[in-house]
Amino acid sequence: MEITKEIISNLLDGRLADSDVEQLQRMHEKDADRFWKYLEVLQERVQWNDKILLRLTDHLYIVRNGNGARVVKCDCGHEFGDYRVNWKIASRVRVRRTAEEFKEVYTPDQAIPEPGWMTIREYFCPGCAAQLAVEVVPPGYPPIFDLLPDLDRLYRELGRPLEDESEDWFRDRTMDVVANFRR
Amino acid sequence: MKTSLLELVEQRDRLTEETGKYYGVHELTLKENDPVKYERFYSRLHATMVAAYEVSRYVTASPGAREMGEVLWGLLTPEGDALAISAGFFSHINSGKYAIRFMAEHHYDQNPGIRDGDVFVTDDGESGGAPHPGDTYTYVPIMVGDELVAWAMGINHIMEAGAPIAGSWPGFAVDTFMDGFVVPPIKTGENLRQFTWWEQMWLRRTRAGTLNNLDDKMRLAGCAMIHREIHKIISEFGLDYYKRAIREIIEESRQMITDNVRRTMVPGRYDGAAFRAVKYKGLQSIWEHADKDQIISIRQRLVVNGDGTIDAYHDGSSHWDYHAWNGYPGGADVAFYLSMINNFAYNTKPTSAVSWVMKTHYPKHSIYNPGVNVASFSNIWAQSMALNSIGFNSVNRGRFAIGYLEESFQAEGDWEGIQGAGVLPDGTPYGVTNFENVGGTAMGAFCFRDGQPIAWAEWTQLANIGNAEEFEYLIPATFYLGRKLLPDFFGHGKYRGGPGQAILHWVVRPGELYLSRGGAGVAYCTFVAQGMSGAYPAPANFHISARGTNIYDLISAGKPVPRDGIELIQMAEEGTLKVDQLDIWRYDMPPIRLQDGDLVATCNGSSGGWGDPIERDPNLVLDDVCQGWLQPDTAKKVYGVVLEKTNEGWTIDQELTTVLRKSIYKKRLDDSVPFEEFWEEERNLLLTHNIIEPVRYMYTHTVSEIYDFDKEVKEFWQLPEDFSW
């Protein structure tokens, strides 16, 4: 089964037939060039020209921007900053703390988290208000850095090393930014 | 034995660690020289496992084993590595390593000795690698002359563990001395027969002795079949071929798993978290040190290395404590490897190789590695399934990033169990565990389509909640008024999670009956903390008990009766169903006395969504309302879809939907604040100690070894160095 860009596109749009999905799921070995085709399909869909290095969520990408920096960018165009910083700390946050607030997004009523024990955090893009992530965590829990990719390692393993390869690119720099809060 | 068991284990460790190849196998010479013979050899082993599975459950078994396949048989190397398994709950593939190592380190080969056809049993966490005492293992050594060449292993989830709280997942325990009938690896028989005293142990130390003995004999029957067949296979292929082939099978598997990681994952660091409520405050007054509520924190950092190996760190997880929900490394591994096997061992022989590719690191004194042998492990599964799920979702995020969208979904396995004990009107005592909701849960949404109900169980290939009738006749006094899916009971998203299920049990002439709850998540704390791409994770399980009802009057009068917990609550509120005492349990239901006509409802096994709910196709929302999965009010408030009811049914008001969705986007920006502002608000909460005791306790009781989670938390919120929670 050849995995074409059209198939990837249909998957992205939720239009691939279940039987075809099952065929993909049952492949004995995954197609090795999926990543490159995937990037091409994604690049064709965004309105901006920055080169996509990796997709993180439905809306968020790591791109090389016009200044050559590797940043997290929303498909609406909003930039969050260096991808080594948890993008959540550059988003807008709505935190739900009460039962009434919980019931607006959790159903049925009996299944809502317990106020005081848990909060619901919704992370929005400042640019387009898309809901990018949800965390249901106790008060005071630091935002979870879902994925810090080792981009250089990925590209090297796939045979196309990035030109600015450096060990420094696989380092969590979230605290560098947080340290500047309140200053 | 020709070589001591300890020498065998140490040799396996040394050869594997020094070479990076399982048992130092650099080349798959048997496979390459004669692949047909090699695969025929493996097929014979695998067929033997499947035969053990298919036959022994019908020779003798409890309904849990027979109906839902909560069983597994395996063939292990002398050191305890699995090289072939049957169908069943496959993650127990690695437990043998712990049990055999314990036997080796305690010189069982010298005392009591290990002989062909001996029988050993264990259900202990620390020494046997068991997740909880409900998971019981039988091991039969296979010897050729004085050489140990293999172990046959059978494992199943038994019907009752004999703890103070009846069932196989007690929800209250202070320490391991309340875990029930727990045995380290112990010799219980010879020549493929159990000693007669062993049968008495199940009868006298558990509440379902007959069923537990049926299971014990089932496990041994399967092991006996394996024992006989392995001797035949060794005679046919030769002992030398056998000894080399069993190493190559595992090395072959290790190579393929490593390749799969390299080809399908993005190297990097994936963080996940999950939480569980412990509601023990006020439950009892004897054990003061257990009289507290707390949140169990489960934290995992999955590091995918570029060489195809994975390290799973659990720093930031809770310290072990005086509750039922601790585990030991072997049991935690059983949970952790579920997702790893599912994701990376899908196209290779199922073996223990996965444990050489993925390494777990449990901080000492954590809930997964107590560092003491007194911690209770009665119900590790209540939180370790979340451990597995966050690992699974880390993998799913990696798959999504690299483009294998067909493998990208929200994984949750919020299973459910009702258990108890009673005395029938004729004086017969009994113990019960209802497994049905262990047999299947909803599958979460994929990044391109909705999730499905009861479609899978992470721990087995065979999602199957069994026949209701089976439980009605074998578990006394509880009958079904309903067994259905629950509307609105899923994580909302662009693609919604699969709906969870709801069962309503009716208690009929019970004699003396106590039931409690032993499942995974509880509504108090969402089972998995992170939603996918803006979706909500699944709402967790809850239960309703209705004591003192007029259900008989309703039935006699031919009036409607409730079919699930929500209908029960609604009818009670409307007054159409009289209820003397209605309890909605959003945490574990403790043992409660139930009388004739009482009702017990479970609502469980939902799953999370994928993507921003506001982006859901309004037509999909309409379909869900028409199918009965979604309430119209939810369609409006969560999805921003306005529906109108006409004579022909529901239709979408496209104009109002567009307006509503725009207003929801605006409200998001109006109601939210920049992260730094939120950070200030949250920091102030901590500085002023404006958090409740269970949360405070959680923060003071995380354990770290590799990286300091507590330090990270304090640094993140810029708390003073002398800050105390």
Side-chain angles (χ1 to χ4, degrees), chain A residues 28 30-31 34 59 92-93 97 106-107 112 114 122 131 136 139-141 146 148 150 157 178 182, chain B residues 262 267 269 347 404 406-407 488 492 529-530 534 536-537 586 615 637 672-673 680 682 699 717-718:
Chain A
H28 188 71
K30 295 298 186 184
D31 43 312
R34 179 81 67 96
H59 289 286
R92 291 188 71 89
V93 189
R97 302 187 191 272
Y106 255 77
T107 58
I112 62 169
E114 180 70 5
E122 295 158 341
Q131 186 161 284
V136 186
Y141 203 79
D146 301 319
L148 172 60
D150 187 348
E157 290 289 323
V178 173
R182 313 196 85 245
Chain B
R262 292 181 73 176
R269 194 192 77 181
N347 59 354
Y404 297 118
E406 68 273 19
E407 308 293 345
D488 266 3
H492 301 296
Q530 297 143 276
Y536 295 90
R586 293 169 18 82
E615 294 170 25
K637 68 181 182 181
S672 63
V673 296
E680 195 73 55
E682 203 79 352
Y699 285 124
W717 300 113
Q718 291 187 29

Side-chain angles (χ1 to χ4, degrees), chain B residues 648-667:
Chain B
E648 296 161 356
W650 294 100
T651 60
I652 300 168
D653 187 321
Q654 297 285 359
E655 188 175 346
L656 283 185
T657 294
T658 301
V659 170
L660 178 56
R661 282 188 161 183
K662 280 183 179 177
S663 72
I664 288 173
Y665 278 117
K666 183 178 185 300
K667 192 175 196 306

Side-chain angles (χ1 to χ4, degrees), chain A residues 2-166:
Chain A
E2 191 201 340
I3 312 303
T4 64
K5 285 169 64 176
E6 184 184 7
I7 287 175
I8 295 171
S9 203
N10 285 335
L11 254 184
L12 281 167
D13 294 335
R15 287 188 284 106
L16 197 66
D18 284 345
S19 56
D20 290 330
V21 170
E22 187 170 324
Q23 221 176 322
L24 290 175
Q25 290 169 338
R26 288 174 177 268
M27 294 171 77
H28 188 71
E29 287 187 5
K30 295 298 186 184
D31 43 312
D33 63 347
R34 179 81 67 96
F35 181 62
W36 306 118
K37 286 176 176 169
Y38 185 49
L39 288 188
E40 284 181 40
V41 172
L42 296 171
Q43 195 77 62
E44 289 162 11
R45 289 170 168 238
V46 293
Q47 303 303 309
W48 28 262
N49 296 321
D50 296 332
K51 183 178 172 57
I52 295 173
L53 299 176
L54 190 75
R55 190 185 193 194
L56 291 175
T57 72
D58 282 359
H59 289 286
L60 296 182
Y61 303 85
I62 298 175
V63 307
R64 189 182 298 287
N65 71 8
N67 298 324
R70 303 182 189 183
V71 300
V72 173
K73 183 164 183 161
C74 182
D75 50 20
C76 76
H78 180 82
E79 283 191 11
F80 287 77
D82 189 327
Y83 77 95
R84 293 170 294 177
V85 176
N86 188 353
W87 59 264
K88 292 175 184 174
I89 72 168
S91 65
R92 291 188 71 89
V93 189
R94 174 163 67 188
V95 57
R96 298 175 182 271
R97 302 187 191 272
T98 68
E100 287 312 305
E101 288 170 334
F102 290 171
K103 289 176 184 178
E104 290 175 5
V105 293
Y106 255 77
T107 58
D109 290 350
Q110 294 77 13
I112 62 169
E114 180 70 5
W117 289 59
M118 307 298 283
T119 62
I120 299 176
R121 296 180 192 156
E122 295 158 341
Y123 295 92
F124 304 128
C125 175
C128 64
Q131 186 161 284
L132 303 171
V134 172
E135 290 172 346
V136 186
V137 292
Y141 203 79
I144 302 165
F145 198 166
D146 301 319
L147 169 53
L148 172 60
D150 187 348
L151 274 182
D152 290 346
R153 191 74 190 254
L154 173 68
Y155 273 75
R156 194 184 322 121
E157 290 289 323
L158 291 176
R160 302 188 196 179
L162 293 169
E163 61 269 23
D164 56 345
E165 194 172 297
S166 159

